């Protein structure tokens, strides 16, 4: 589900000076801010580079599958890479796609800052870019000026929705451990911002520890194990994705506590594993974060090639699962 909206929260103010400084720092020449966006040819096949961040969780696998499935329908010849969780590798994967002269670049930037200069490099090489899922630092590369658009969820709102559920589930009284996503990722920054904003307005709710579990199940389990020892009084967990929440559930059980009873857990993603944990009563709720960007990117690319004006943010709206609706919503899990 996507709606076309122009308005988006400005995380950072655009500063032309810092664009140049950062670009030079990364050893590239900045594209001129005033240059028009590169055009996209209307041809078949269209050579499209999709530079994935990693493939270590169901969310990433579903996202990649969505691009593979749409490629044939959209007339795309897909060039696919996997950065194995390394922002540096994702940059070099994209640089190699630029060198191959792909017609269009589509990627989820693993982190906001390291991936911004390569957007300018693509623009300078005349290759249009669509960012999906995560965004880049807007003070370096700006949607509508340096790349066509950002297609993705409102991560701040996801954090708000997770916090609202937790406030209700705990009666406004909780000691919370927050398991953050990958440091420097827009998904982690904004999910934290949104959640922490609501918690700050509830005096009975305290975040007693907040640490990155890198959006990974085993890292989430390890971090939770350590934090459980330091904070045995914890009564709630907010994990920035389902995989870390499932890792936290394993750690809580290993510590002899009952997830969903002794400790309430709320998370984001709506994976099949997360939904099963809600049905089992171990996970309280999961805000969906849709990974199905392939058809949306195809639609945006086709409209852009025809010369249509594309909004700077193609906003994806997300479902919400808790024990009240999880059983009839299983078809949406991935
Ligand atoms: O950017 C979206 C996040 O990245 C998903 O929540 C997570 O599972 C993935 O790795």
């Amino acid at each position: 589900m996507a709606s076309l909206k122009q308005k988006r929260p400005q995380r950072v103010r655009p500063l032309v000076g810092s664009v140049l400084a950062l670009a030079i720092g990364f050893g590239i020449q900045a594209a001129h801010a005033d240059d028009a966006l590169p055009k996209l040819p209307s041809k078949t096949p269209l050579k499209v580079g999709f530079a994935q961040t990693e493939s270590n969780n169901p969310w990433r696998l579903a996202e990649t599958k969505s691009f593979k499935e749409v490629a044939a329908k959209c007339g795309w010849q897909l060039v696919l890479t996997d950065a194995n969780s390394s922002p540096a590798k994702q940059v070099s994967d994209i640089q190699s796609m630029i060198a191959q002269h792909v017609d269009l670049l589509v990627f989820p930037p693993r982190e906001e800052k390291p991936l911004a200069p390569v957007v300018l490099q693509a623009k300078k090489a005349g290759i249009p870019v669509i960012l999906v899922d995560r965004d880049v630092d807007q003070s370096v590369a700006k949607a509508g000026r340096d790349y066509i658009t950002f297609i993705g969820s409102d991560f701040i709102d996801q954090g708000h929705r997770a916090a609202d559920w937790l406030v209700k589930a705990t009666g406004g009284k909780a000691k919370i451990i927050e398991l953050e996503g990958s440091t420097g990722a827009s998904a982690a920054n904004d999910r934290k911002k949104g959640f922490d904003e609501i918690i700050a307005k509830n005096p009975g709710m305290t975040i007693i520890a907040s640490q990155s579990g890198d959006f990974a199940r085993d890292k989430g389990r390890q971090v939770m194990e350590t934090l459980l020892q330091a904070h045995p009084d914890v009564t709630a967990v907010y994990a920035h994705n389902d995989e870390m929440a499932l890792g936290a559930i394993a750690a809580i059980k290993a510590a002899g506590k009952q997830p969903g009873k002794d400790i309430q857990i709320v998370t984001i993603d709506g994976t099949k594993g997360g939904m099963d944990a809600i049905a089992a009563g171990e996970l309280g709720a999961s805000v969906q974060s849709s990974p199905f960007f392939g058809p949306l990117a195809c639609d945006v690319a086709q409209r852009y090639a025809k010369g249509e004006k594309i909004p700077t943010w193609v906003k994806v709206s997300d479902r919400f699962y808790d024990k009240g609706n999880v059983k009839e919503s299983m078809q949406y899990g991935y």
Side-chain angles (χ1 to χ4, degrees), residues 54 57 59-60 133-134 155 187 191 215 240-241 268-269:
E54 57 244 315
N57 76 42
W59 196 100
R60 290 285 144 204
D133 156 33
R134 298 184 191 169
F155 293 136
R191 286 174 183 173
F215 281 129
H240 289 191
N241 79 344
I268 295 170
D269 264 359

Side-chain angles (χ1 to χ4, degrees), residues 92-130:
S92 69
D93 287 345
I94 295 163
Q95 284 170 336
S96 118
M97 289 172 181
I98 295 173
Q100 288 173 52
H101 302 292
V102 294
D103 298 305
L104 171 69
L105 264 166
V106 184
F107 62 94
R110 189 171 201 276
E111 293 169 25
E112 286 186 294
K113 288 185 193 295
L115 270 299
V118 80
V119 172
L120 303 181
Q121 282 182 301
K123 181 184 179 189
K124 197 161 187 292
I127 301 172
V129 173
I130 295 173

